Amino acid sequence: MMSSRIFKKRKSIKQVEESNELAPKFDKNGLIPVVTTDFKTSEILMQGYMNEEALKKTIKIGEAVYYSRSRKSLWHKGKISGFVQKIKEILIDDDQDCVWLKVKVLGGASCHVGYKSCFYRSLQNITEDGVELKFTENEKVFDPEVVYPGIENPTKL
Amino acid sequence: MMSSRIFKKRKSIKQVEESNELAPKFDKNGLIPVVTTDFKTSEILMQGYMNEEALKKTIKIGEAVYYSRSRKSLWHKGKISGFVQKIKEILIDDDQDCVWLKVKVLGGASCHVGYKSCFYRSLQNITEDGVELKFTENEKVFDPEVVYPGIENPTKL
């Protein structure tokens, strides 16, 4: 069992910003945002959240474990799909309220829609009247209906 | 004035995930998380938030405008420091609840502590007993006391 001392108490701005102590800030829902990139291409794959337990588990097992806000539970990424994210590096930002994971994705995809990255659309043709999303990935890596049979889509309106 | 029609109403999962309509989801505080990377190096510079007005303004003026949760107001990045973020590309994720900005930073820094990126520390020496943060940037790009004289540090404990 990893010690709970892995997270230090937040004592001062200097400690948080300029020391070598890990003192992450979880918001009032107990969550910290996480940005995950491909360690080779640097592409952003997804943005998610972790609670304390998820961050500790990620550090301990070396695979990305998020907190699913829709399912209200820990979410070991890839447990269903096989697209496990192997941790290559974990960084934290200046005020320690955001985590950056650099990962290697087994199977090559991170997005439940089937694309490699969740960010597969870019804003184009911006005018006074509107904007159009253009797909930046042309083909899906996998078919979600095959990989996630009968599983509820996590996207909420 | 940019039309409010720039954001479409969220009608279906298919529309949100697979169409070319921009229908961003703002959370119950009216915010959407934003990840900002250097368009050349792909390094993550910072993670912030936008409200509807900030996202519209960012799209309109081509410079990053965030919403400051500590100051509770729009935050045109670089207005004080000169480190304006020129927008090169804007992407949105699958369920449209996160924005990715690719930017060129005038002056080369994005972090109020003085570093190029807010993510200047990496988790190292992970053991059962703890973890150490190691600095990944050796020198500050600027001196915060010169650039932000008398301005309150945005980091909150």
Side-chain angles (χ1 to χ4, degrees), chain A residues 16-18 112 120-121 155, chain B residues 16-17 112 120 140 155:
Chain A
V16 168
E17 291 184 344
E18 306 263 14
H112 75 278
Y120 50 81
R121 286 171 299 177
T155 292
Chain B
V16 167
E17 292 184 344
H112 75 278
Y120 50 82
K140 293 190 180 185
T155 292

Side-chain angles (χ1 to χ4, degrees), chain A residues 58-118:
Chain A
T58 297
I59 293 169
K60 186 179 178 191
I61 70 173
E63 297 180 354
V65 177
Y66 302 92
Y67 179 82
S68 166
R69 294 174 303 163
S70 54
R71 292 188 297 270
K72 299 193 195 328
S73 60
L74 286 196
W75 165 33
H76 187 161
K77 177 78 180 168
K79 271 291 172 184
I80 294 173
S81 64
F83 304 136
V84 168
Q85 297 176 340
K86 291 280 183 187
I87 304 294
K88 291 290 183 178
E89 190 175 5
I90 304 177
L91 295 102
I92 196 145
D93 73 341
D94 44 14
D95 57 351
Q96 303 203 29
D97 69 354
C98 185
V99 172
W100 174 6
L101 300 183
K102 295 185 184 179
V103 304
K104 177 181 178 182
V105 181
L106 306 187
S110 277
C111 171
H112 75 278
V113 181
Y115 295 102
K116 183 184 175 205
S117 163
C118 293

Side-chain angles (χ1 to χ4, degrees), chain A residues 10 16-20 25 89-90 92 94 112 118 120-123 129 133 140 153 155-156, chain B residues 10 16-20 25 89-90 92 94 112 118 120-123 133 140 153 155-156:
Chain A
R10 291 168 70 91
V16 168
E17 291 184 344
E18 306 263 14
S19 85
N20 60 4
K25 184 175 192 173
E89 190 175 5
I90 304 177
I92 196 145
D94 44 14
H112 75 278
C118 293
Y120 50 81
R121 286 171 299 177
S122 168
L123 275 63
D129 286 330
L133 297 182
K140 294 190 179 183
N153 190 311
T155 292
K156 303 297 171 206
Chain B
R10 292 167 70 90
V16 167
E17 292 184 344
E18 306 263 15
S19 86
N20 60 4
K25 185 175 191 172
E89 188 174 5
I90 306 176
I92 196 145
D94 44 15
H112 75 278
C118 294
Y120 50 82
R121 287 172 299 178
S122 167
L123 276 63
L133 297 182
K140 293 190 180 185
N153 189 310
T155 292
K156 304 297 171 207

Side-chain angles (χ1 to χ4, degrees), chain B residues 38-105:
Chain B
D38 182 300
F39 83 109
K40 272 199 177 152
T41 66
S42 297
E43 182 182 21
I44 299 181
L45 298 171
M46 57 176 284
Q47 185 268 327
Y49 294 89
M50 291 179 178
N51 62 6
E52 281 201 35
E53 191 186 355
L55 181 51
K56 279 181 191 161
K57 197 162 177 187
T58 297
I59 293 170
K60 185 178 178 190
I61 71 174
E63 297 180 355
V65 178
Y66 301 94
Y67 179 82
S68 165
R69 293 174 304 164
S70 53
R71 293 190 295 272
K72 299 192 197 325
S73 61
L74 285 197
W75 166 32
H76 188 160
K77 177 79 182 167
K79 272 289 173 187
I80 294 173
S81 63
F83 304 136
V84 168
Q85 296 176 340
K86 292 280 184 188
I87 303 294
K88 291 290 183 178
E89 188 174 5
I90 306 176
L91 296 102
I92 196 145
D93 73 341
D94 44 15
D95 55 352
Q96 302 204 28
D97 69 354
C98 184
V99 172
W100 174 6
L101 300 183
K102 295 184 184 179
V103 304
K104 177 182 178 180
V105 180

